[in-house]
Amino acid sequence: MSFFRLVCFLLLLVTQGVRCSAVTWTRGNDASPELFSDGLSPSQASLVRPFSFSSSSSPTSTANNSVLQGGAVYPSSMTHRVVGAGSSAVFTPPARFSNTVLPSFANTTVTNVTVIRGKTAYLRCHVLNIGTKTVSWVRHDDIHVLTVGRLTFTNDDRFEAMNKPGSDVWSLRIKFPQLHDSGKYECQVSTRPTRSRVITLNVVEPRAVIPPGPELYVDHGSPLNITCVIPDSPEPPDHVFWYHRDKMVSFDGSRQGVSITTDKGSVTTSILLIQDVTTKDSGLYICAPQGMKEASVRVRVLNGELPQAMQTGSTCQGCGSSYLLLLLAALYLLLL
């Protein structure tokens, strides 16, 4: 370096007008600057490349403290100015690598998640300004660390950490969740002290209901209407299947006059309608919503023996007392 300064000094004496360009840097709290010539090494040149240049007539040089992020030096504020003959450059660090703002949780993080048993659950944690910190998922019940960063630390392969490069959302995916998976899961950021957000997972198993059940009487030749209701479900089932005598009710033409109507919503309703029932239509019917508990009803087709037992499900109320009265009347006649 001293040789280069000597050459510049000699040239200045000869030409009296030539100015030598230089770059002045200050390292941290070190007050002694270092001078680099225009022939920068590759590692030094990589620091200069991101700069934007603007014209400047006053050759000045300032520097503040710097921090190391990902193998490159990022100043903690608007910092390094590179000066030379007629030009200057100012480096501003990306906001993502701010060393003054701690990681925080976005308001978009949902803290209560309800899923149907067997349907994949996603617990999402939105962390802002994560910098070089890592995100971990911990299960509260047994204080088990499930994931750290994108790595999974459990033998249960149903659990998996998910994060797209560059995304601030860190998710825990749980495949085929069961009722025992319900509980609290903690999203932790590796700050000191640790910052965390607790998310509650509720795994439910909605139940189908066939009112009035468990038996339904219908006259021979009358229409049969069976209504299946799913009242409490976070979302409607993808499909509702009907079975008769362990065989799926189909529309292949083997039985005419069969229709199924399903109305999905906060309360899902599925109706099985059979026109002109016969004795072959008697038996057990099952309503099976996908991923939910099924409901069943036994249908009895009457041939006139109980004309008052209609599809409303009534089973001849008062018939027992009538039979008792007839028996007492017969005994009375025999005693006479």
Side-chain angles (χ1 to χ4, degrees), residues 11-280:
L11 290 176
L12 180 61
L13 292 178
V14 175
T15 60
Q16 297 182 357
V18 176
R19 295 165 53 189
C20 296
S21 300
V23 179
T24 304
W25 288 84
T26 301
R27 296 181 298 182
N29 297 324
D30 190 359
S32 59
E34 292 186 6
L35 190 67
F36 297 91
S37 65
D38 291 340
L40 297 176
S41 66
S43 60
Q44 297 162 347
S46 65
L47 297 175
V48 179
R49 239 178 244 117
F51 296 173
S52 59
F53 286 84
S54 60
S55 61
S56 174
S57 57
S58 59
T60 60
S61 173
T62 61
N64 293 332
N65 292 338
S66 302
V67 294
L68 185 63
Q69 298 277 2
V73 175
Y74 293 104
S76 59
S77 60
M78 195 150 179
T79 60
H80 294 306
R81 180 179 297 275
V82 180
V83 298
S87 65
S88 66
V90 177
F91 176 78
T92 303
R96 183 178 179 84
F97 294 98
S98 172
N99 66 326
T100 59
V101 181
L102 294 175
S104 61
F105 297 96
N107 294 330
T108 56
T109 299
V110 179
T111 58
N112 200 311
V113 178
T114 302
V115 296
I116 298 174
R117 174 179 171 270
K119 198 163 187 177
T120 302
Y122 292 91
L123 307 184
R124 294 181 172 88
C125 188
H126 192 175
V127 184
L128 302 176
N129 198 56
I130 189 171
T132 59
K133 306 300 181 183
T134 57
V135 175
S136 304
W137 283 97
V138 179
R139 184 169 52 201
H140 261 215
D141 288 347
D142 51 3
I143 317 299
H144 184 78
V145 178
L146 300 172
T147 66
V148 176
R150 297 187 180 94
L151 302 178
T152 302
F153 290 89
T154 176
N155 293 329
D156 192 341
D157 58 3
R158 298 180 303 126
F159 293 87
E160 183 181 1
M162 300 187 66
N163 172 259
K164 294 181 179 179
S167 173
D168 293 328
V169 179
W170 296 80
S171 301
L172 176 66
R173 182 173 68 179
I174 308 174
K175 295 183 291 185
F176 310 109
Q178 302 301 312
L179 298 178
H180 65 264
D181 291 320
S182 297
K184 295 182 178 181
Y185 295 79
E186 187 170 328
C187 170
Q188 295 184 351
V189 182
S190 61
T191 56
R192 293 187 180 180
T194 301
R195 295 195 168 197
S196 62
R197 178 67 58 90
V198 175
I199 299 177
T200 303
L201 173 65
N202 304 296
V203 182
V204 298
E205 188 175 26
R207 180 190 297 270
V209 178
I210 299 180
E215 289 186 333
L216 191 63
Y217 294 91
V218 60
D219 283 336
H220 188 281
S222 299
L224 173 63
N225 186 327
I226 306 177
T227 302
C228 178
V229 180
I230 302 99
D232 300 317
S233 177
E235 58 182 284
D238 294 334
H239 304 283
V240 178
F241 303 102
W242 285 90
Y243 296 89
H244 177 224
R245 297 179 179 176
D246 297 330
K247 293 183 179 180
M248 184 179 293
V249 177
S250 61
F251 309 96
D252 56 3
S254 59
R255 176 65 168 88
Q256 300 294 328
V258 178
S259 64
I260 298 175
T261 304
T262 301
D263 184 17
K264 298 181 180 181
S266 57
V267 177
T268 299
T269 302
S270 183
I271 299 175
L272 171 64
L273 179 62
I274 302 178
Q275 302 289 346
D276 301 326
V277 297
T278 65
T279 54
K280 292 183 178 180

